[in-house]
């Protein structure tokens, strides 16, 4: 997850007393606004649970801070949040996620009420679940999967996403919902923000498969409910053109679809190009040259880039995830595009081993840059667990401690920390934590500050013995 505090502002409390508020953005979206004492209480609760291994936290001051000191404190708190969020023991703990959920609830001033929430499948089928307005994402996910009769061990092979239908009729995957937030509050807040910016199309919460390893699909296809979900998603992705197929194969699949031969349909579909990939909207990149138009897809341990040449040709290159040394998310000082989109300056930059002795930075400008980064990170985490010998689908997709839900929902920021289970631990999760530290760096305030924090090396980065690692398809 990517934390940033791009700004502060002066607010007034209920008694009319002014105070300094820090705007916390998570994965590029405003999550909450907190004052220093709430951050300090947050730090104290984490320290009680995780000891003195936490990064340094800005100390209290006796006197009022000037603007320079406020900026220094903003940067310090931002760095603190970035570091603690990269420790899987902490970021996967119920304490951490419940505190962030409480902060979102407090900032949105949302009361805890019982409501019905609509969740959609990729074919627009609606599933309505009864939840509380402040209920966490994983709890909502469990209710949806249970209602659809998905076996419990496969619940976390799926995730909830916010998806928008655009003016051109296509859809954009805007955000992957995570357990530090309430799907209801996030959908409501982001819908209001997009309406203010006059961005077309309503936001819907959609259930999609979110795992990458093909062996997980093998297991999902043995369960009738998860088979049905994969089938619905695959049919929709083929119709949308996200999965490529020839006219002959498409006709063959249509016959299987008419017969209701779902398993046979999936056997054919799994061999098609871009099955199991996440497809992103067209973007701008600096490879092979500045201002190149491209469409990115992530899957099968690769990042695929379809480049559109001025002559109208399409050239494809594939970057292996194991040859990406590190990556970062940041705002661009010099945008690669003149797009008028408010978030068009968001960049994903990755350092790639293009030859045995040559590393090259490649930059992509896209409003989905943070989603790309989160997909890369989850893909790498799966690779690490597979390498460690893990075969259980429920453990391949995420830290096992995420299944221990914190049932108390009305916890105020700064209240006493609840009793919780241990966070991620053990050799596999520790490896994931170290890898995440090296892979994910964010500073949304400026590109220059982000560049200071670039991490190098990772345990899945593979040195080459050949001389060419970018393969034209």
């Amino acid at each position: 997850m990517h934390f940033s505090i791009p700004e502060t502002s002066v607010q007034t409390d209920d008694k009319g007393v002014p105070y300094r508020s820090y705007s916390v953005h998570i994965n590029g979206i405003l999550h909450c606004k907190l004052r220093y004492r709430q951050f300090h209480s947050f730090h104290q609760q984490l320290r009680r649970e995780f000891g003195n291994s936490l990064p340094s936290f800005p100390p209290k001051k006796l006197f009022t801070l000037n603007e320079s000191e406020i900026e220094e404190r903003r940067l310090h708190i931002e760095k603190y949040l970035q570091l603690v969020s990269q420790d899987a023991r902490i970021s996967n703990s119920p304490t951490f996620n419940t505190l962030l959920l409480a902060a979102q609830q407090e900032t949105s001033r949302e009361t805890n009420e019982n409501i019905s929430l609509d969740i959609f499948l990729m074919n627009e089928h609606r599933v309505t679940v009864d939840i509380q307005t402040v209920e966490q994402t994983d709890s909502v996910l469990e209710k949806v999967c249970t209602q659809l009769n998905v076996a419990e061990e496969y619940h976390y092979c799926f995730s909830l996403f916010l998806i928008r239908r655009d003016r051109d009729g296509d859809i954009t995957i805007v955000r992957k919902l995570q357990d530090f937030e309430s799907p209801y509050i996030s959908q409501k807040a982001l819908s209001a923000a997009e309406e203010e910016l006059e961005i077309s199309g309503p936001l819907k919460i959609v259930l999609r498969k979110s795992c990458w390893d093909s062996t997980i699909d093998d297991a999902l296809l043995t369960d009738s409910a998860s088979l049905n979900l994969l089938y619905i998603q695959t049919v929709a992705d083929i119709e949308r053109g996200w999965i490529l197929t020839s006219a002959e194969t498409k006709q063959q699949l249509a016959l299987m679809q008419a017969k209701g031969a779902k398993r046979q349909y999936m056997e054919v579909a799994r061999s098609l190009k871009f099955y199991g990939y996440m497809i992103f909207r067209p973007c701008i990149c600096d490879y092979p040259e500045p201002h190149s138009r491209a469409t990115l897809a992530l899957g099968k341990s690769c990042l695929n880039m379809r480049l559109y040449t001025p002559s109208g040709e399409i050239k494809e290159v594939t970057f292996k995830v194991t040859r990406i040394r590190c990556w970062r998310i940041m705002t661009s000082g010099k945008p690669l595009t003149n797009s008028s989109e408010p978030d068009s300056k968001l960049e994903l930059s990755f350092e790639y081993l293009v030859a045995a002795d040559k590393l090259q930075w490649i930059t992509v400008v896209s409003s989905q840059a943070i989603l790309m980064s989160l997909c890369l990170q989850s893909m790498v985490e799966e690779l690490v667990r597979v390498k460690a010998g893990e075969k259980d689908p429920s453990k391949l997709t995420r830290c096992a401690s995420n299944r221990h839900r914190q049932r108390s929902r009305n916890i105020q920021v700064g209240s006493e920390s609840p009793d919780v289970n241990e966070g991620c631990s053990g050799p596999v999760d520790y490896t994931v934590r170290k890898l995440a530290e090296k892979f994910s760096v964010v500073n949304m305030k400026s590109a220059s500050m982000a560049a200071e924090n670039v991490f190098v090396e990772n345990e899945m980065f593979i040195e080459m013995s050949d001389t060419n690692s970018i393969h034209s398809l």
Side-chain angles (χ1 to χ4, degrees):
M1 78 183 65
H2 299 302
F3 279 86
S4 65
I5 304 178
E7 61 184 2
T8 67
S9 60
V10 177
Q11 305 288 329
T12 304
D13 64 17
D14 295 337
K15 297 180 181 179
V17 178
Y19 66 90
R20 180 67 60 168
S21 170
Y22 296 79
S23 299
V24 179
H25 289 232
I26 306 180
N27 299 336
I29 305 295
L30 176 65
H31 182 77
C32 60
K33 294 183 178 182
L34 300 176
R35 56 200 303 177
Y36 170 79
R37 71 185 186 190
Q38 292 173 297
F39 286 115
H40 186 269
S41 176
F42 183 86
H43 170 66
Q44 291 298 106
Q45 291 183 61
L46 291 179
R47 194 168 71 171
R48 280 195 290 272
E49 182 173 351
F50 298 102
N52 295 321
S53 60
L54 297 175
S56 65
F57 187 82
K60 291 182 177 180
K61 301 285 187 179
L62 293 175
F63 304 103
T64 303
L65 276 60
N66 59 36
E67 290 300 317
S68 175
E69 291 170 325
I70 290 171
E71 175 64 7
E72 182 181 354
R73 175 177 280 182
R74 181 195 70 79
L75 288 170
H76 198 159
I77 295 175
E78 181 180 69
K79 181 67 174 178
Y80 171 85
L81 291 174
Q82 290 173 2
L83 290 174
V84 296
S85 68
Q86 294 305 323
D87 187 330
R89 297 176 306 121
I90 300 173
S91 62
N92 286 304
S93 70
T95 298
F96 183 81
N97 286 295
T98 302
L99 288 169
L100 289 177
L101 177 69
Q104 184 189 42
Q105 177 189 358
E106 186 174 314
T107 299
S108 65
R109 301 182 183 277
E110 195 72 50
T111 57
N112 192 7
E113 299 176 4
N114 295 321
I115 61 165
S116 295
L117 184 68
D118 291 334
I119 310 295
F120 292 85
L121 305 184
M122 290 303 294
N123 63 352
E124 301 290 340
H125 176 75
R126 179 170 56 196
V127 180
T128 301
V129 291
D130 295 325
I131 66 162
Q132 293 179 312
T133 53
V134 298
E135 200 157 339
Q136 289 170 271
T137 296
D138 280 4
S139 178
V140 177
L141 174 65
E142 288 170 0
K143 287 185 176 181
V144 175
C145 288
T146 299
Q147 192 162 319
L148 293 170
N149 298 316
V150 176
E152 185 176 353
E153 61 266 31
Y154 301 142
H155 284 186
Y156 293 109
C157 298
F158 299 89
S159 293
L160 299 177
F161 295 84
L162 283 176
I163 291 182
R164 178 183 67 236
R165 185 172 294 279
D166 298 309
R167 290 189 181 94
D168 59 6
D170 202 354
I171 66 171
T172 297
I173 300 177
V174 177
R175 178 181 177 86
K176 180 181 177 181
L177 295 169
Q178 300 187 66
D179 206 32
F180 57 76
E181 60 190 320
S182 153
Y184 170 77
I185 296 176
S186 293
Q187 181 189 29
K188 183 178 178 181
L190 195 53
S191 294
E194 291 204 346
E195 184 177 345
E196 186 176 333
L197 293 170
E198 298 183 350
I199 298 176
S200 67
L203 285 174
K204 293 182 177 180
I205 302 176
V206 175
L207 181 72
R208 279 185 66 90
K209 184 187 74 144
S210 57
C211 51
W212 306 98
D213 191 83
S214 61
T215 60
I216 300 177
D217 277 23
D218 294 338
L220 291 175
L221 294 176
T222 64
D223 175 72
S224 59
S226 57
L227 164 63
N228 189 52
L229 287 177
L230 286 187
Y231 172 76
I232 289 172
Q233 178 176 317
T234 303
V235 170
D237 287 357
I238 289 175
E239 291 176 351
R240 193 166 287 111
W242 288 5
I243 298 175
L244 303 185
T245 180
S246 66
E248 182 181 350
T249 303
K250 198 167 187 178
Q251 186 176 13
Q252 180 186 1
L253 290 171
L255 291 173
M256 296 176 188
Q257 189 176 352
K259 295 178 181 178
K262 297 179 181 179
R263 193 176 301 278
Q264 189 179 0
Y265 184 103
M266 289 303 301
E267 288 175 0
V268 174
R270 290 181 70 186
S271 66
L272 298 177
K273 190 169 185 177
F274 296 129
Y275 172 84
Y277 279 70
M278 177 76 78
I279 310 296
F280 301 93
R281 296 285 285 172
C283 59
I284 303 295
C285 65
D286 63 358
Y287 180 87
E289 58 187 28
H291 311 290
S292 296
R293 293 174 55 249
T295 297
L296 268 63
L298 270 169
K300 297 185 178 177
S301 304
C302 292
L303 188 158
N304 176 278
M305 189 179 287
R306 281 173 284 175
L307 300 159
Y308 305 99
T309 65
S311 62
E313 295 179 330
I314 299 177
K315 178 183 178 182
E316 287 195 36
V317 292
T318 297
F319 303 93
K320 294 183 178 179
V321 169
T322 51
R323 289 173 181 170
I324 295 177
R325 190 185 186 200
C326 60
W327 70 79
R328 66 190 179 208
I329 293 289
M330 59 186 185
T331 52
S332 171
K334 295 181 179 179
L336 300 179
T337 175
N338 295 320
S339 170
S340 59
E341 292 183 30
D343 49 5
S344 62
K345 293 182 181 179
L346 203 58
E347 290 184 357
L348 169 73
S349 297
F350 59 93
E351 191 177 30
Y352 194 76
L353 192 63
V354 296
D357 58 351
K358 182 182 178 182
L359 286 160
Q360 178 180 339
W361 278 99
I362 297 169
T363 297
V364 175
V365 178
S366 169
S367 61
Q368 294 177 292
I370 287 180
L371 179 61
M372 293 175 186
S373 176
L374 293 175
C375 289
L376 278 171
Q377 187 160 334
S378 65
M379 186 182 294
V380 168
E381 290 175 351
E382 272 192 25
L383 287 171
V384 171
R385 293 181 175 122
V386 169
K387 184 180 178 181
E390 185 58 69
K391 296 181 180 179
D392 184 346
S394 65
K395 294 179 180 177
L396 272 176
T397 52
R398 64 171 63 196
C399 171
S401 71
N402 270 12
R403 292 188 294 277
H404 299 290
R405 298 274 60 81
Q406 180 54 251
R407 299 300 178 188
S408 178
R409 303 300 176 189
N410 279 320
I411 299 176
Q412 297 297 314
V413 178
S415 66
E416 198 65 24
S417 177
D419 292 332
V420 294
N421 295 290
E422 285 281 331
C424 288
S425 59
V428 174
D429 288 314
Y430 179 68
T431 302
V432 173
R433 179 186 65 79
K434 290 194 297 183
L435 188 59
E437 285 176 352
K438 295 171 184 176
F439 260 73
S440 183
V441 180
V442 172
N443 190 313
M444 302 295 291
K445 188 70 174 180
S446 73
S448 60
M449 292 176 183
E452 293 174 359
N453 295 318
V454 172
F455 292 121
V456 297
E457 199 174 69
N458 67 77
E459 293 181 32
M460 294 303 298
F461 178 68
I462 299 175
E463 295 288 352
M464 296 187 322
S465 57
D466 59 356
T467 59
N468 208 352
S469 67
I470 298 183
H471 302 283
S472 296
L473 301 181

